[in-house]
Amino acid sequence: MTTEDLGVTTEETNPPMTAAQRWTLALASVASLMVVLDMLVVTTALDRIRLDLGASMAELEWTITAFTLSFAVLLLPASALGDRLGRRRMFVSGLAVFTAASVACALAPGTGALIAARAVQGVGAALIMPHAMALLGVAFPGRQRARALGLFSSVTGLGTVGGPVVGGAITQGLDWHWIFWVNVPIGALLIPLARARMAESTGPARRLDFGGLGLVTGGAFGLVWGLVRGNAVGWSSAETVATLCGGAVLAVGFVVWEMRAAAPMLPMRFFRAPAFAGGNASSFLMYATTVGVTFLITQYLQAALGYSPLGTGLRLIPWTLTLVVVGPVAGALVPRVGERTLLVGGLSLVTVAMGWIALLVGPELSYPALIPPLILGSCGISSAMPAAQHAVLGAVAPASVGAASGVFNTLRQLGSTFGVAILSAVFAASGGYGSARTFSDGFRPAMAVGTVLAAGAAIAGWWTPGRRSRHEAPGASPSSETNAETNADTNTESNAESNAVTNVVTSPDANPKSSSEMDPQTSPARSEAKVSAR
């Protein structure tokens, strides 16, 4: 049975974007790309920074760590502030903080000032990233949201895997200061456009959860600190063990606190939804694989194969180009084939690609042999990214997309840190920078571990929704979806939160959660749609 048999046209099930939606998508994507690029461009400029500022190895490490720590620990608190004070307001504030900190990084006279400015950049990034996704979630209803997230993922994905490429090109062609200066005109342009073109939205009007805020901040700080310092001071050192254990204890305390809090920052009921739990677990491991492998492969091309920073960037084009093509297509396919198909299928391709590269690695490897696995892995990542985002945001009520987005981005950032730390530790245990041979000896087992992480991400994807029958999604009316969602919220949350849902979803078209995103076995809207279709 087709949508035409049900009396539903293609325009009704997948309408074109409005001007407001296009502006929201463009501004959110460019802002997120700026942040993601800045997270990684520094890696290829570290040697120039060391020479210009006389930095030690520990100081170079902190130019990365300062950004990572402040970004990771403030994502959830920033998301809570957006729900209360306005997501667009926090998004614009983040752009202002990030742009000003970029100026400070470019003008830093020494490593201390650079590290401090990088930490402030992380604060701005924490305000930008969760609200970019939340604003998209509110602006785009069901099928449109899947397509929008595909486009969003393709743009931000370029930053994830292309950061070292851009950093190498700018450092070699201009100067390392310009990796920060390029943010300034972009931020200055985005701020007035976001204020004029993006609609404001808020979440539930509830008290700030200061207990949860302190526990999640301390827990994330401890875990990230331990992961990034483990390689430097040893994984069995007192510092590493204490920070990892302390972070884990605080994280468990956060879960217990949120289960009992009257107005929790993160309702634990979110994780009862397989789509939310599976999407976040899959995303965590996917970004551990992607960022960890990107961190090492850029160095492999330079240290073992002898390419320049710019030459390395050009040879990573197969790793980035397919994101532009595959990401939007995958996003549009999510409502038709389900998140599970794209997550498991895409991450299975990544697993094969990582294992393939591990078998090829050597000091005399010919670059053309890397092209097929790079393309294969990129296609897999491009397919999985929008599916993971769609699964997480589609598992919660419209008013809760801010909190869900904060969790998604926090786990994604922690996954990136986890991947770099673990793969670097494996590399250091077996190889080093002494020669092309020693680097290859370390890179090979690191790629094997990356293969295992990708396989784990694919397994986690099985907990996300599978394929729906064709008549389920079109048959559900927007009004029935909104009623079903509001009724679900009323049964599990306070009346104040239900009223907040009504404030955010002022019309059926504003509801970012469609019946295509609910479990086909449990959605009341789908049950009504089936009866109506029959």
Side-chain angles (χ1 to χ4, degrees):
M1 181 178 292
T2 66
T3 56
E4 286 76 9
D5 296 329
L6 296 173
V8 181
T9 65
T10 303
E11 289 74 14
E12 290 173 324
T13 59
N14 194 15
M17 293 186 197
T18 65
Q21 288 175 326
R22 286 194 294 270
W23 274 108
T24 300
L25 176 60
L27 294 171
S29 298
V30 174
S32 298
L33 174 62
M34 180 176 67
V35 170
V36 173
L37 275 174
D38 204 85
M39 291 166 58
L40 296 173
V41 292
V42 179
T43 58
T44 47
L46 288 176
D47 191 56
R48 298 288 178 86
I49 294 174
R50 177 181 63 84
L51 294 173
D52 285 357
L53 301 181
S56 66
M57 180 59 69
E59 289 171 328
L60 288 179
E61 182 181 358
W62 275 106
T63 62
I64 304 294
T65 304
F67 183 98
T68 304
L69 285 173
S70 60
F71 185 30
V73 302
L74 293 176
L75 274 169
L76 276 176
S79 179
L81 285 175
D83 284 345
R84 183 180 181 86
L85 302 178
R87 293 161 183 158
R88 185 189 64 185
R89 178 183 296 178
M90 293 297 101
F91 179 78
V92 171
S93 298
L95 289 171
V97 171
F98 190 88
T99 303
S102 296
V103 174
C105 287
L107 296 176
T111 53
L114 177 60
I115 290 169
R118 287 284 287 167
V120 178
Q121 268 193 319
V123 176
L127 289 168
I128 292 171
M129 293 300 287
H131 299 119
M133 284 184 62
L135 289 166
L136 280 178
V138 173
F140 289 89
R143 286 183 179 272
Q144 283 188 306
R145 181 151 57 92
R147 183 177 58 173
L149 285 176
L151 293 167
F152 178 80
S153 295
S154 68
V155 175
T156 56
L158 283 173
T160 300
V161 297
V165 180
V166 176
I170 293 176
T171 301
Q172 183 172 325
L174 296 171
D175 183 79
W176 69 265
H177 299 85
W178 281 95
I179 63 177
F180 301 113
W181 280 123
V182 295
N183 296 329
V184 178
I186 298 173
L189 181 63
L190 289 175
I191 289 171
L193 287 176
R195 289 176 58 88
R197 299 291 183 175
M198 300 179 87
E200 183 62 281
S201 66
T202 58
R206 56 190 178 189
R207 299 186 305 273
L208 285 176
D209 181 12
F210 291 106
L213 184 72
L215 287 169
V216 73
T217 301
F221 185 87
L223 290 171
V224 174
W225 181 290
L227 288 173
V228 299
R229 291 283 293 163
N231 287 320
V233 300
W235 292 98
S236 60
S237 67
E239 177 185 342
T240 303
V241 172
T243 53
L244 288 176
C245 291
V249 169
L250 290 175
V252 172
F254 171 72
V255 173
V256 174
W257 176 278
E258 295 298 282
M259 293 177 67
R260 299 179 177 180
M265 177 194 306
L266 174 60
M268 287 295 111
R269 64 183 181 82
F270 285 178
F271 288 94
R272 298 173 189 167
F276 188 87
N280 275 303
S282 186
S283 177
F284 178 92
L285 294 172
M286 174 173 62
Y287 277 88
T289 303
T290 302
V291 178
V293 168
T294 301
F295 177 78
L296 287 177
I297 200 169
T298 55
Q299 298 181 68
Y300 171 70
L301 291 172
Q302 296 178 66
L305 302 187
Y307 296 113
S308 67
L310 181 58
T312 296
L314 294 174
R315 285 166 177 82
L316 285 175
I317 288 177
W319 183 239
T320 61
L321 185 61
T322 57
L323 289 166
V324 181
V325 179
V326 177
V329 176
L333 286 175
V334 170
R336 301 180 185 179
V337 303
E339 291 90 341
R340 183 190 305 156
T341 301
L342 291 171
L343 269 176
V344 175
L347 290 168
S348 295
L349 293 180
V350 176
T351 303
V352 172
M354 299 301 100
W356 190 346
I357 294 175
L359 295 175
L360 292 174
V361 167
E364 299 178 355
L365 174 66
S366 174
Y367 167 73
L370 280 174
I371 295 177
L374 287 176
I375 294 176
L376 185 69
S378 181
C379 289
I381 294 167
S382 303
S383 299
M385 279 182 178
Q389 291 174 329
H390 197 268
V392 171
L393 295 186
V396 302
S400 300
V401 293
S405 176
V407 174
F408 180 84
N409 281 289
T410 295
L411 292 177
R412 181 172 69 173
Q413 179 65 10
L414 289 174
S416 300
T417 306
F418 172 82
V420 171
I422 295 301
L423 266 63
S424 296
V426 174
F427 168 83
S430 305
Y433 293 89
S435 67
R437 171 65 64 184
T438 56
F439 194 99
S440 299
D441 290 343
F443 185 46
R444 187 180 300 107
M447 288 300 304
V449 173
T451 304
V452 174
L453 293 176
I459 293 172
W462 278 102
W463 274 265
T464 58
R467 184 178 181 180
R468 292 94 172 175
S469 60
R470 289 188 177 184
H471 63 278
E472 284 180 306
S477 66
S479 60
S480 64
E481 294 161 12
T482 304
N483 291 337
E485 184 76 1
T486 303
N487 290 338
D489 285 340
T490 303
N491 292 333
T492 56
E493 298 182 350
S494 66
N495 291 331
E497 181 156 345
S498 298
N499 292 334
V501 173
T502 306
N503 292 336
V504 174
V505 187
T506 56
S507 68
D509 292 337
N511 187 0
K513 183 171 183 178
S514 71
S515 60
S516 65
E517 299 160 280
M518 300 180 185
D519 191 310
Q521 303 301 321
T522 60
S523 170
R526 287 193 181 169
S527 300
E528 295 170 9
K530 292 179 181 179
V531 174
S532 176
R534 291 170 184 167

